[in-house]
Amino acid sequence: MSTKSSPRAPQRSRAASPSRRERVSDHRAVGPPAAPTFKPIHTRRTFEEICERIREQLALGVLKPGDKLPAERELAQQLGVSRNVLREALRSLEMAGVLRLQKGVKGGAFIQQGDTRRMNEVMRDMLSLGTISVRELSEARVHVLDLVVQLACANARRADLDALEANIERTELATKEGRLLDRVECSREFYKLLAASTGNKVIAMIVDSVTEIHMRFVYAKVASSGVAMARLAEKRRQFLAALSERNVDLASRLLRSHLESVQRMLEQDPGAMSLHVALADVQPGMRR
Amino acid sequence: MSTKSSPRAPQRSRAASPSRRERVSDHRAVGPPAAPTFKPIHTRRTFEEICERIREQLALGVLKPGDKLPAERELAQQLGVSRNVLREALRSLEMAGVLRLQKGVKGGAFIQQGDTRRMNEVMRDMLSLGTISVRELSEARVHVLDLVVQLACANARRADLDALEANIERTELATKEGRLLDRVECSREFYKLLAASTGNKVIAMIVDSVTEIHMRFVYAKVASSGVAMARLAEKRRQFLAALSERNVDLASRLLRSHLESVQRMLEQDPGAMSLHVALADVQPGMRR
DNA sequence: GATTATTAAATGGATCACCCATTCAATGGA
DNA sequence: TCCATTGAATGGGTGATCCATTTAATAATC
């Protein structure tokens, strides 16, 4: 950690207390606002400072995944803050996927490998807050997947194709056994594998984030109506064949046409397609 | 809020205390693990529960941007938790851009309009943690921008083109006056405007997140070496002309060639291009 | 009566002092 | 040797208390 800049500032609030009165009397002594210097309005809060300090250490490479931060009590003392406010910072970093907190002796705050699922949460929040629309999300997904097909045709390795093949077999099995919701889960995984086959984790992350939401809608639709995409595995096989032959145009056409038919299925009964229904529930396997 | 499921559970830890002993004696009474039911390992922590409750209300539409949550003291009582742990939850949601906390009477926790910049932070963290590489990010950016050009050619409105035009003029001015770093800022804005001209906020968000990081590298490069892209404004004008004429191929070619030359510039002196330098500093205008 | 200080209350920001539950290593007994 | 016990470290959580900021109500002043 080496948090060298911790000048042991206990009782910071109390120490800063007189400054307010000073500022006020200064103001009156000078009269009307003589020099409108406009100091930074936003008083930085302690926890923000802490988060930034830790992120800084991360960016600098001083902290790496696997590293452990000092114990809460000790770190709080090092930073000269209360344990509670330190915990607020640690909580935020944990929610951000940067840390993992583990109990017990030998426990502590461990730097995590980055969790790409965090972007999914951003998308969900943006949708919940109405910043983005379902339409925009679907549209973006279609376009991004088109790009993915190009990249996958260019970069997919044998292992990627095999994984897709295995996924299709699971899809067939689920279809045969009538496990419709499992089949939706297979679909989610299919796109995850397809995205991974581009060999670019940034692209993969983006695709996952838009697909996760989309699949919630599909899940809700299938769960409520019992209908499901016909000839799914068959279509997947055709697509995979095109991908294996590096036939971009064909693969692209097949996927696009499939996406369109899924879209039609979803829009068939718009009344049931509540944003809230799809987002509210945390489906098993959909998260964590 | 209507948090109907808050059965006033004070001193939850103490109340749950006997259960541990019960479970242990159960285990011994039965002997070896008879029924490995595997209950959920992860004891849900209070603050997670709170975050989820609030997000649920959001997804359900009960809470909307602009709404105010009850005061901390009151909400804590409603939920049957301590104020401290409630604050941990609120902090997390604030960092997630969902809430804004405001002091003073008439203050409180207000639901925010979604902040699309949050995705930038995800990208930064992923890069800091080594989950994604600069190379993947650059590559993804090139591909996504290619997509953006297509969409912008199809969807850009007059206002979008005008905004781009105005941006180019600012770029010219900054060039003339030798304000190289301001020019980098103009570039960042250029891509933001370009992304916005697709008319799809999801796409725009994605582009912004990869561009923000990229521009940090450019910024660091320009700041350290003093070199800058030649004939920038001129190239921008050519591109904008192609965009205005809805000439996808030309616009696409121009942008791609520009991106390549920028990439060459960045890679010229790889030693100076430290990931850490680019990420560590919070540049003015780059954030918040 | 209008304007300007003053005061009071509400609220987030922060601290302190505890306590509980979990985990794991050290210890000790069978 | 093996297993149970113990104890310490650590995160999880609580409650009381104070500070700083903001706003509205109130009083003082012109």
Side-chain angles (χ1 to χ4, degrees), chain A residues 42 44-45 47-48 51-52 55-56 58-61 63-65 84-85 87-89 91-92 94-98 101 111-119 121-126 128-133 135-137 139-140 143-144 146-147 150-151 155 198-203 205-206 209-210 275-277 279-282 287-288, chain B residues 42 45 47-48 51-52 55-56 58-61 63-65 84-85 87-89 91-92 94-98 101 111-119 121-126 128-133 135-137 139-141 143-144 146-147 150-151 155 198-203 205-206 209-210 275-277 279-282 287-288:
Chain A
H42 198 240
R44 286 281 282 241
R45 286 166 302 176
F47 89 102
E48 287 178 299
C51 281
E52 197 165 299
R55 278 208 166 89
E56 202 178 53
L58 264 179
L60 287 171
L63 285 174
K64 292 179 299 296
N84 280 359
V85 78
R87 296 184 87 227
E88 289 178 9
R91 279 285 130 83
S92 297
E94 189 185 17
M95 290 313 270
V98 173
L101 298 183
I111 310 290
Q112 287 290 91
Q113 217 68 36
D115 183 356
T116 56
R117 284 169 304 183
R118 208 184 132 201
M119 192 174 284
E121 196 170 290
V122 175
M123 285 290 180
R124 268 206 305 276
D125 282 342
M126 292 300 126
S128 288
L129 294 169
T131 303
I132 61 176
S133 66
R135 175 167 188 75
E136 286 173 307
L137 202 78
E139 193 183 290
H143 292 305
V144 170
D146 200 61
L147 171 59
Q150 294 172 43
L151 292 174
N155 304 328
T198 62
N200 186 307
K201 285 198 283 293
V202 176
I203 302 273
M205 199 160 68
I206 292 168
S209 66
V210 295
L275 170 66
H276 304 147
V277 171
L279 286 182
D281 256 12
V282 177
R287 192 185 179 193
R288 197 156 291 262
Chain B
H42 200 241
R45 287 166 300 176
F47 88 102
E48 288 178 298
C51 281
E52 198 164 300
R55 278 208 166 90
E56 202 178 53
L58 265 179
L60 287 171
L63 286 174
K64 291 178 301 297
N84 281 334
V85 78
R87 297 186 87 224
E88 289 179 10
R91 278 286 131 83
S92 298
E94 189 185 16
M95 290 312 271
V98 173
L101 298 182
I111 310 290
Q112 288 290 91
Q113 216 68 34
D115 183 357
T116 57
R117 284 169 304 186
R118 205 183 135 202
M119 191 174 281
E121 196 170 290
V122 175
M123 285 290 179
R124 269 206 304 276
D125 282 341
M126 292 299 128
S128 288
L129 294 169
T131 303
I132 61 176
S133 66
R135 176 169 188 72
E136 286 173 307
L137 201 76
E139 194 183 289
R141 179 164 179 262
H143 292 305
V144 170
D146 201 61
L147 170 59
Q150 293 172 44
L151 293 174
N155 303 327
T198 63
N200 186 308
K201 285 197 284 292
V202 176
I203 302 273
M205 198 159 70
I206 292 168
S209 66
V210 295
L275 171 65
H276 304 148
V277 171
L279 285 182
D281 256 12
V282 177
R287 191 185 179 192
R288 197 158 293 262

Side-chain angles (χ1 to χ4, degrees), chain B residues 35-266:
Chain B
T37 49
F38 289 130
K39 287 181 182 175
I41 289 177
H42 200 241
T43 312
R44 284 282 280 253
R45 287 166 300 176
T46 313
F47 88 102
E48 288 178 298
E49 197 89 28
I50 298 172
C51 281
E52 198 164 300
R53 253 351 140 82
I54 293 177
R55 278 208 166 90
E56 202 178 53
Q57 303 288 315
L58 265 179
L60 287 171
V62 179
L63 286 174
K64 291 178 301 297
D67 287 357
K68 192 178 105 169
L69 263 47
E72 288 184 356
R73 291 164 176 83
E74 187 189 327
L75 185 53
Q77 198 177 21
Q78 278 185 32
L79 293 169
V81 300
S82 77
R83 198 182 150 209
N84 281 334
V85 78
L86 170 64
R87 297 186 87 224
E88 289 179 10
L90 295 180
R91 278 286 131 83
S92 298
L93 291 171
E94 189 185 16
M95 290 312 271
V98 173
L99 294 180
R100 191 186 87 240
L101 298 182
Q102 199 170 321
K103 267 210 282 194
V105 61
K106 294 297 172 189
F110 297 86
I111 310 290
Q112 288 290 91
Q113 216 68 34
D115 183 357
T116 57
R117 284 169 304 186
R118 205 183 135 202
M119 191 174 281
N120 304 9
E121 196 170 290
V122 175
M123 285 290 179
R124 269 206 304 276
D125 282 341
M126 292 299 128
L127 207 52
S128 288
L129 294 169
T131 303
I132 61 176
S133 66
V134 179
R135 176 169 188 72
E136 286 173 307
L137 201 76
S138 304
E139 194 183 289
R141 179 164 179 262
V142 171
H143 292 305
V144 170
L145 279 175
D146 201 61
L147 170 59
V148 164
V149 171
Q150 293 172 44
L151 293 174
C153 275
N155 303 327
R157 302 178 172 211
R158 187 55 197 263
D160 298 318
L161 300 175
D162 289 347
L164 286 168
E165 170 67 28
N167 171 272
I168 295 175
E169 277 165 20
R170 279 197 298 284
T171 303
E172 273 179 329
L173 192 62
T175 305
K176 209 171 293 178
E177 299 179 358
R179 292 180 278 113
L180 292 185
L181 295 182
D182 280 0
R183 213 177 64 158
V184 175
E185 187 59 28
C186 280
S187 290
R188 200 179 69 96
E189 199 185 323
F190 179 83
Y191 290 106
K192 204 178 177 65
L193 292 171
L194 182 61
S197 74
T198 63
N200 186 308
K201 285 197 284 292
V202 176
I203 302 273
M205 198 159 70
I206 292 168
V207 173
D208 287 351
S209 66
V210 295
T211 297
E212 199 256 359
I213 309 269
H214 178 262
M215 284 301 161
R216 280 168 181 260
F217 283 96
V218 175
Y219 192 99
K221 177 74 178 181
V222 171
S224 69
S225 71
V227 306
M229 181 53 58
R231 303 190 302 116
L232 180 60
E234 185 187 335
K235 286 161 89 175
R236 289 272 151 80
R237 280 203 193 285
Q238 287 175 8
F239 172 79
L240 182 55
L243 196 65
S244 301
E245 293 163 9
R246 315 289 172 179
N247 188 338
V248 178
D249 285 343
L250 178 57
S252 189
R253 226 172 26 244
L254 288 172
L255 184 61
R256 184 174 294 253
S257 122
H258 172 67
L259 294 180
E260 280 165 4
S261 63
V262 171
Q263 199 60 34
R264 275 195 302 276
M265 184 187 91
L266 286 179

Side-chain angles (χ1 to χ4, degrees), chain A:
Chain A
M1 270 294 290
S2 83
T3 54
K4 56 182 175 182
S5 45
S6 67
R8 184 69 190 123
Q11 308 188 349
R12 54 196 341 267
S13 349
R14 284 163 195 147
S17 171
S19 70
R20 180 183 140 269
R21 299 174 188 279
E22 283 167 18
R23 206 164 55 222
V24 169
S25 49
D26 273 358
H27 181 265
R28 287 206 295 194
V30 179
T37 50
F38 290 130
K39 287 182 182 175
I41 289 177
H42 198 240
T43 311
R44 286 281 282 241
R45 286 166 302 176
T46 312
F47 89 102
E48 287 178 299
E49 197 90 27
I50 298 172
C51 281
E52 197 165 299
R53 272 309 166 92
I54 293 177
R55 278 208 166 89
E56 202 178 53
Q57 303 287 315
L58 264 179
L60 287 171
V62 179
L63 285 174
K64 292 179 299 296
D67 287 357
K68 192 179 105 167
L69 262 48
E72 289 184 355
R73 291 165 176 83
E74 188 190 327
L75 185 52
Q77 199 177 20
Q78 277 185 32
L79 294 170
V81 300
S82 78
R83 198 184 149 208
N84 280 359
V85 78
L86 171 64
R87 296 184 87 227
E88 289 178 9
L90 294 179
R91 279 285 130 83
S92 297
L93 291 170
E94 189 185 17
M95 290 313 270
V98 173
L99 295 179
R100 192 187 86 241
L101 298 183
Q102 199 169 323
K103 266 208 282 193
V105 62
K106 294 296 171 192
F110 296 86
I111 310 290
Q112 287 290 91
Q113 217 68 36
D115 183 356
T116 56
R117 284 169 304 183
R118 208 184 132 201
M119 192 174 284
N120 304 8
E121 196 170 290
V122 175
M123 285 290 180
R124 268 206 305 276
D125 282 342
M126 292 300 126
L127 207 52
S128 288
L129 294 169
T131 303
I132 61 176
S133 66
V134 179
R135 175 167 188 75
E136 286 173 307
L137 202 78
S138 304
E139 193 183 290
R141 179 165 179 262
V142 170
H143 292 305
V144 170
L145 279 176
D146 200 61
L147 171 59
V148 165
V149 171
Q150 294 172 43
L151 292 174
C153 274
N155 304 328
R157 302 179 170 213
R158 187 55 197 264
D160 298 318
L161 300 175
D162 289 347
L164 285 168
E165 170 68 28
N167 171 272
I168 295 176
E169 278 165 19
R170 279 197 299 283
T171 303
E172 272 180 328
L173 193 62
T175 304
K176 208 171 294 177
E177 299 179 358
R179 291 180 279 111
L180 293 185
L181 295 182
D182 282 359
R183 214 177 64 158
V184 176
E185 186 60 26
C186 281
S187 289
R188 201 179 68 97
E189 198 186 324
F190 179 82
Y191 289 107
K192 202 178 180 64
L193 293 171
L194 183 61
S197 74
T198 62
N200 186 307
K201 285 198 283 293
V202 176
I203 302 273
M205 199 160 68
I206 292 168
V207 173
D208 287 352
S209 66
V210 295
T211 298
E212 199 255 1
I213 309 269
H214 178 261
M215 283 302 162
R216 280 169 181 259
F217 283 97
V218 175
Y219 193 99
K221 176 74 177 182
V222 171
S224 70
S225 71
V227 306
M229 182 54 56
R231 304 189 302 115
L232 180 61
E234 185 187 334
K235 287 161 88 175
R236 290 272 151 80
R237 279 203 193 286
Q238 287 175 8
F239 172 79
L240 182 55
L243 196 66
S244 301
E245 293 163 9
R246 316 288 173 180
N247 187 337
V248 179
D249 285 344
L250 179 57
S252 189
R253 226 172 25 244
L254 287 171
L255 185 60
R256 184 174 295 255
S257 120
H258 173 67
L259 293 180
E260 280 165 5
S261 64
V262 171
Q263 200 59 33
R264 274 196 302 275
M265 184 186 92
L266 287 179
E267 286 169 353
Q268 217 173 13
D269 178 15
M273 285 305 304
S274 162
L275 170 66
H276 304 147
V277 171
L279 286 182
D281 256 12
V282 177
Q283 308 293 353
M286 285 286 186
R287 192 185 179 193
R288 197 156 291 262

